[in-house]
């Protein structure tokens, strides 16, 4: 397990309390002055190296962080190790916003769009991240879409599926799980809860089905809550997901 204890460029203290055990590696960085993209690039460059080293050693990295943007580092690291992954993205949200369409300005609502090629000059070029073809990106759930996201998805080759029916893309792929995909009645303390989601056990079953293909090359787990000393239900869910590998 590789822990990146940040929410965007903000350190998170105490996230370890929701993990099944001590991480094998913790990624921290002295972040430079500059805009958010400069700071994230510095952090994700180090995280990508950690992922690449784990793959080179024959491992399947599990990357845990406080938000979804760490997926940029995970995919970069896989590519540095010679793997060209597709993506299966579990999330209550679409994460396909852009700077031009967002109403909140929240960077954490953009990573899937960046992964499939949006404005590489922001961060992808700095990391050496190559775009994932849209047809190799699968979005599971995304029950809370902004109008601009729904409009994009209506014309994109990136497709949206239910958690139970999401297919595996061709070739090797990353499974990314934002734990707010789970209904908030099943998991406490979410930053952006959305009612009407699947149970935690349904999400774990879907991930296990994908892992059974033998083509999952990494797992991202986004713990999108503020650390508060740990919670048994959250810890149990993170443990079940990591045990899928």
């Amino acid at each position: 397990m590789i822990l990146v204890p940040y929410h965007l460029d903000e350190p998170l203290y105490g996230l370890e309390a929701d993990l099944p055990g001590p991480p094998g590696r913790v990624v921290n960085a002295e972040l430079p002055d500059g805009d958010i993209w400069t700071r994230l690039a510095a952090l994700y460059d180090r995280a990508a190296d950690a992922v690449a080293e784990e793959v080179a050693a024959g491992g399947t990295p599990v990357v845990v962080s406080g938000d979804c943007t760490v997926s940029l580092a995970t995919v970069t690291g896989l590519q540095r190790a010679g793997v060209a992954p597709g993506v299966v993205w579990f999330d209550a949200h679409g994460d396909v916003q852009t700077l031009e369409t967002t109403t909140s300005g929240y960077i954490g609502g953009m990573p899937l769009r960046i992964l499939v090629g949006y404005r590489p000059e922001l961060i992808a070029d700095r990391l050496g991240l190559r775009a994932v073809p849209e047809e190799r990106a699968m979005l599971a759930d995304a029950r809370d879409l902004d109008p601009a996201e729904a409009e994009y998805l209506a014309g994109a080759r990136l497709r949206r599926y239910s958690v139970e029916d999401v297919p595996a893309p061709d070739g090797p792929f990353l499974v990314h799980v934002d734990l707010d995909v789970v209904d908030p009645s099943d998991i406490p303390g979410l930053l952006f809860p959305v009612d009407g989601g699947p149970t935690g056990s349904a999400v774990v079953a879907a991930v296990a089905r994908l892992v059974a293909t033998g083509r999952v090359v990494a797992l991202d787990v986004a713990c999108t809550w503020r650390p508060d000393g740990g919670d048994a239900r959250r810890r149990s869910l993170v443990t079940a997901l990591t045990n899928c590998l």
Side-chain angles (χ1 to χ4, degrees):
M1 181 183 295
I2 299 168
L3 176 64
V4 187
Y6 288 80
H7 178 259
L8 298 176
D9 61 342
E10 176 188 351
L12 291 180
Y13 302 103
L15 192 58
E16 296 92 334
D18 285 307
L19 303 183
R25 183 164 181 172
V26 180
V27 176
N28 287 292
E30 290 290 332
L31 301 185
D33 294 334
D35 65 12
I36 183 66
W37 304 108
T38 299
R39 292 169 63 79
L40 290 179
L43 176 62
Y44 293 166
D45 183 61
R46 297 192 65 170
D49 278 346
V51 169
E53 290 166 10
E54 179 68 16
V55 174
T60 303
V62 177
V63 182
V64 178
S65 187
D67 65 74
C68 293
T69 57
V70 76
S71 61
L72 306 178
T74 305
V75 174
T76 298
L78 291 169
Q79 291 176 349
R80 289 180 184 179
V83 180
V87 176
V88 179
W89 192 274
F90 291 84
D91 205 308
H93 309 91
D95 285 1
V96 290
Q97 281 287 4
T98 70
L99 291 175
E100 294 76 26
T101 61
T102 180
T103 57
S104 67
Y106 180 53
I107 301 296
M110 303 178 191
L112 182 55
R113 191 68 171 269
I114 292 171
L115 281 176
V116 297
Y118 168 70
R119 290 192 59 180
E121 76 278 3
L122 295 174
I123 189 170
D125 287 347
R126 309 185 203 206
L127 295 173
L129 169 64
R130 301 183 299 279
V132 175
E134 280 190 343
E135 63 271 18
R136 296 194 64 215
M138 314 295 174
L139 177 58
D141 193 69
R143 61 190 180 272
D144 185 16
L145 293 173
D146 289 340
E149 293 182 299
E151 181 180 358
Y152 162 71
L153 289 170
R157 288 173 293 171
L158 189 166
R159 297 299 182 191
R160 177 186 170 203
Y161 300 88
S162 69
V163 163
E164 294 78 10
D165 296 330
V166 63
D170 294 337
F173 62 97
L174 162 71
V175 173
H176 172 88
V177 184
D178 182 340
L179 287 171
D180 70 16
V181 71
V182 176
D183 191 87
S185 65
D186 214 22
I187 186 169
L190 293 167
L191 286 176
F192 307 108
V194 183
D195 291 337
T199 63
S201 59
V203 172
V204 171
V207 171
R209 174 176 57 82
L210 293 167
V211 170
T213 66
R215 295 187 283 110
V216 173
V217 289
L219 172 65
D220 264 341
V221 181
C223 299
T224 46
W225 52 72
R226 293 290 181 186
D228 57 8
D231 177 272
R233 283 181 291 172
R234 298 193 311 228
R235 189 179 307 111
S236 176
L237 183 54
V238 175
T239 301
L241 283 170
T242 58
N243 284 345
C244 288
L245 291 175

